Every structure is written in structure tokens, then in C-alpha cells.
Amino acid sequence: MTTSRRGFLRLAGLGALATALPACSSVLPEPDTTAPGFGTSATGTVRVWCRAATQAGLTDLVERFNASQDRLVVELTPIPDVQYVTKLATAIRARDVPDLVDIDDINSLLFVFRDAFTDLTDLIAQLDYADRLSPGHLALATVGERRFAVPYLADNSALFCNTRLFERAGLDVDEATTDLDALLDAARRITALGGDVRGWSFPGNAQGALGFVVQPHVWAADTDLITGEVGAQTGNVLGNEAVARMLEFYRALWVDGLVPPENFADDASRWGADYRAGRIGMFPSNYSTVTSDADPDLVAATTVRLLPGPDGGRAFFDGGDNMCIPRGAANASGAWEFVRFALDLAQQSALPEGGYTPVRSDVATPEFAARYPLVLPPLLEQHEGYAPRTLPYNEIFNQPDGPWLTMFRRAVFDGEIEAAMAEAQDGFDRILGQASA
């Protein structure tokens, strides 16, 4: 991935999935997870697929697991993010599936609704830390109170603040990040410091990254851009006050020169370079983008808050990976043993070294907090995390010609907010209607 570890690249569309994976995928046999010794005494090879974008989060894990015992050997195969959905669908149709898939959590529902994954509900319930697992990840793989995936790693959006610039501008971070008006005032005061310093920065031509960092402003107001249950959804854009105010906020940032002019064409290929250079006061992004190859002194001067809504509230995009056992897996028992290893505190505690956040809130010991303070807010406030439960997420939010990016750019750069929202409503409804057909 070129934009961040979360993978803001376009993935194969819902139409491609429907072509490659018909409803008959359900004929693949579901492993017997109640068999004696399941997940504890397997032998042989465990074939694991992972996203290339998060391969770094799996490679060391696999090495540690293989070295920890001599009954199982995990073989890891990274799949390019843009090919993952189609390749997995093709493997299911060919009845030659891996034993475990590590999948972008936003895509979990695509396969759950096709009966492609094993029901893990009872196995998850047996984990003594089940109530500490990321609820946002689980929601993306839950249908009818049955769970078909377990979280592995989190990649969350948040608001990173350069405390040096806040101090120079005479700002208190907590007071300056309560709502959109406070953010706008803080951005003006930081920009007033002069030179090439700006109060805010965003990748204005990167559809996926914008979805990752902008939508939480809407969710913090207890609303969404999509309404209804999967299979009967419509857009919730036109007339949505939170969406309008979010767009007005970004329009003001642009018109008032509170962001770098490069934001207009920024496709996220150099996302975070301006923040890491110390020129940006507030930067909505993720942990890895802020800390990778960054000056340790800047990292030490950075603090993080969850993203606020128009009138308060907090939210963040609950991104990352879920682990799922496909129906038809040859070594499901070995796969579950590997999953439990991956969720051990020792493994979860090591995830920030690779730029990721743990999915177990009980990882946050005083020692962990002191070492990784920038991952704490989403970890400690997991209930504020969210990601839309919808099948055509990629068509709406990750396509360069999709309704999300078209709306954002027309509203923010052209100033046609109401018209942009009306156009987006039509686009959301069209795509969601096709997904429901």
C-alpha cells in the first residue's frame, strides 16, 4: 500500500464478488468447531492469507508462532489489497480455500453474507477476554448475533496534535478540540504563527483516506451517511445537518488558507510529510502515518484526541483486520490455534512496533501506556469506534469517481455544498440500491 497501512486503495467491487462468488458458496462444509481437541492439538500446515498492506503485522507473528511449537507450520501468503476480494472469492468458488484469512475488516460482511466464513461465535465466547475485543471490528462480521470473525489488529483514525505549535499559539489541546468551531478557531490561531505553518492538513484527492478521517466528524453526532440495514439501505446525505457542517468546516479550512495549498491535489502518496516536518498543528490520520520515520522529538511532542463532531462527541474509524476461517478450510483447528496465539497479550502488546493498535483493551497496562501513549485513546475508548456496515463500501468511498470523493471536492473546493450533497444522495442511493437488488 502506498498511502498508509490501512490500505486506502480501491478493492475489487461488489459486482466482481457477485460474479466470482455465487450463493452456492454455502455448500462448502463448515468445520466442526466442537470436535474434541479443536484449536489445541492440530498438526500439519496452516495456510494463511493476509493483506499486503498489513503483511508487516503478520510476518513476525508467524515466525514467533512457528518457533513456539513443533506441531504446526504456518505458511503466510500476502495478497495485494486491490486483488484480495476477487482472489478470495475465486478460491472459494474453486473450493480451494486457505485455512485462515486476515482481511480488511470493512470487507468482512461481503463474505459473511455469502455464507463463506465459519461461525466463530461459541469459540469467541470461550475467550476470557472476549468482552475486551474491539466491538467495531466484531460488528463488521456479525449477523443475527452470530460472529464470523475475530479482530486481530486495529488501524484507527484520530486527531494528532503538535503541542509545540499549540503552546506557541497559546492553545489548550482539550479546549481546542471539543467541536468543529473550536477546531476552526485553533486552526486560525496556529496558522497565524506565520511562515509555512498551517493549522490543519488533509489529502484532498485521496478518497479512501478522506473517508477514514472525515466521516468520524459525522458519526460523533450520532448519525451516518448511510441508513438502514444491509439489504435495504439508502444514503443519508441530503438534509443531514452533521454532513453539511462537516463540509462547511472543511470549506472554511480551504478558503481561509488554514491548510497547505498542496492539499487540493494530495492523493496521500506523501500523506503526513508536512506533519512530520513540524509544520501542521492538527492532523487527522493514523498512528503509523504519524510515527513512521518521524523525528522522535516530534513524536514526543505529539498528543492525540478522538475526532469531534459539530457540537461535541467523539468518534474514530475502526479500521484494521479481522481473522476469518473460510468454510471448507482443511486445517481449521490449526487456524484457530494460530488465532488464539495472535490474540495473546504478548503478541497484541507488540503490534505498535509495526504501526498498529491492539484490539484487546486490557493490553493498556501502565507500562504499555507509558511506551505507546499515541495509541491509547482509541484503545481505551473502543466504544467510540465505528465503520459502516454496508456491502458496497468500496464503490461509495474508495472509488476515485465515487459519490463520496465527488461530493467532498465539489463542496470543499468549489463551494457548492447543497448541490454536492444532493448529487451524493443520488449516487449513494443508486449504488446501495444495486447492492440490494
Side-chain angles (χ1 to χ4, degrees):
M1 178 184 64
T2 59
T3 59
S4 85
R5 294 185 184 278
R6 182 174 187 280
F8 299 123
L9 302 174
R10 275 191 301 143
L11 299 184
L14 186 64
L17 177 67
T19 300
L21 182 56
C24 66
S25 65
S26 61
V27 302
L28 289 174
E30 186 169 33
D32 181 5
T33 61
T34 65
F38 185 90
T40 61
S41 58
T43 59
T45 300
V46 179
R47 294 189 300 156
V48 178
W49 283 12
C50 72
R51 296 194 294 139
T54 52
Q55 180 181 355
L58 273 293
T59 302
D60 290 343
L61 175 70
V62 168
E63 292 177 356
R64 290 195 297 271
F65 177 78
N66 287 341
S68 70
Q69 44 72 53
D70 58 6
R71 292 180 291 102
L72 290 166
V73 175
V74 171
E75 294 181 352
L76 184 67
T77 301
I79 306 294
D81 282 45
V82 293
Q83 302 174 15
Y84 201 108
V85 169
T86 300
K87 280 187 174 293
L88 180 55
T90 301
I92 294 169
R93 188 175 187 180
R95 306 177 67 84
D96 183 18
V97 297
D99 300 304
L100 183 71
V101 293
D102 179 72
I103 189 171
D104 189 334
D105 63 354
I106 203 71
N107 289 318
S108 301
L109 279 180
L110 289 173
F111 293 92
V112 171
F113 272 87
R114 296 274 173 172
D115 290 329
F117 290 153
T118 300
D119 187 340
L120 305 178
T121 308
D122 296 336
L123 293 175
I124 294 172
Q126 294 169 16
L127 301 173
D128 59 11
Y129 48 83
D131 61 344
R132 304 296 183 91
L133 293 172
S134 167
H137 282 66
L138 289 169
L140 291 172
T142 300
V143 175
E145 299 185 359
R146 306 305 295 178
R147 293 173 171 174
F148 297 85
V150 66
Y152 166 53
L153 61 80
D155 194 3
N156 305 317
S157 60
L159 183 62
F160 295 84
C161 303
N162 183 331
T163 59
R164 295 170 177 169
L165 297 181
F166 270 74
E167 290 171 2
R168 287 176 56 193
L171 292 165
D172 176 82
V173 172
D174 288 322
E175 294 177 357
T177 59
T178 55
D179 56 34
L180 295 189
D181 287 342
L183 292 180
L184 193 59
D185 177 68
R188 291 193 173 106
R189 291 174 62 175
I190 291 172
T191 303
L193 294 173
D196 57 2
V197 170
R198 294 292 185 274
W200 196 273
S201 182
F202 63 92
N205 199 32
Q207 62 278 2
L210 287 172
F212 184 58
V213 301
V214 173
Q215 288 186 93
H217 293 303
V218 176
W219 303 336
D222 295 326
T223 187
D224 197 352
L225 289 90
I226 295 172
T227 188
E229 294 298 320
V230 174
Q233 293 180 318
T234 59
N236 185 34
V237 181
L238 190 61
N240 189 324
E241 181 183 359
V243 175
R245 292 182 61 185
M246 172 272 291
L247 293 171
E248 291 167 356
F249 167 70
Y250 271 88
R251 173 65 176 168
L253 289 173
W254 176 250
V255 171
D256 294 350
L258 308 181
V259 298
E262 294 82 7
N263 280 183
F264 177 84
D266 188 354
D267 63 358
S269 57
R270 300 188 68 250
W271 196 26
D274 49 6
Y275 183 82
R276 294 190 298 272
R279 301 193 301 266
I280 304 300
M282 294 174 286
F283 180 54
S285 186
N286 64 356
Y287 176 71
S288 64
T289 299
V290 169
T291 59
S292 296
D293 302 318
D295 180 347
D297 290 338
L298 176 65
V299 174
T302 295
T303 189
V304 63
R305 299 293 185 271
L306 300 187
L307 291 155
D311 296 311
R314 299 281 181 176
F316 64 91
F317 196 112
D318 202 339
D321 289 4
N322 277 336
M323 285 185 167
C324 314
I325 299 176
R327 294 173 65 114
N331 197 351
S333 178
W336 184 247
E337 185 167 347
F338 177 65
V339 167
R340 289 191 296 106
F341 180 86
L343 292 175
D344 282 347
L345 280 178
Q347 319 310 326
Q348 288 286 301
S349 297
L351 284 172
E353 291 297 322
Y356 308 106
T357 299
V359 294
R360 287 182 57 173
S361 61
D362 55 342
V363 165
T365 63
E367 294 76 16
F368 181 91
R371 188 171 184 180
Y372 305 112
L374 298 186
V375 305
L376 284 182
L379 184 61
L380 295 178
E381 300 181 66
Q382 287 183 335
H383 60 285
E384 303 290 5
Y386 179 74
R389 279 176 51 88
T390 189
L391 299 184
Y393 183 89
N394 292 303
E395 283 80 355
I396 293 173
F397 292 100
N398 285 343
Q399 298 278 11
D401 59 350
W404 162 249
L405 182 63
T406 300
M407 176 187 72
F408 185 88
R409 290 186 63 82
R410 185 177 181 184
V412 173
F413 299 125
D414 298 336
E416 301 174 355
I417 293 177
E418 186 173 349
M421 292 175 65
E423 182 183 22
Q425 181 70 46
D426 290 341
F428 274 59
D429 286 346
R430 173 179 53 80
I431 293 172
L432 289 164
Q434 292 170 350
S436 300

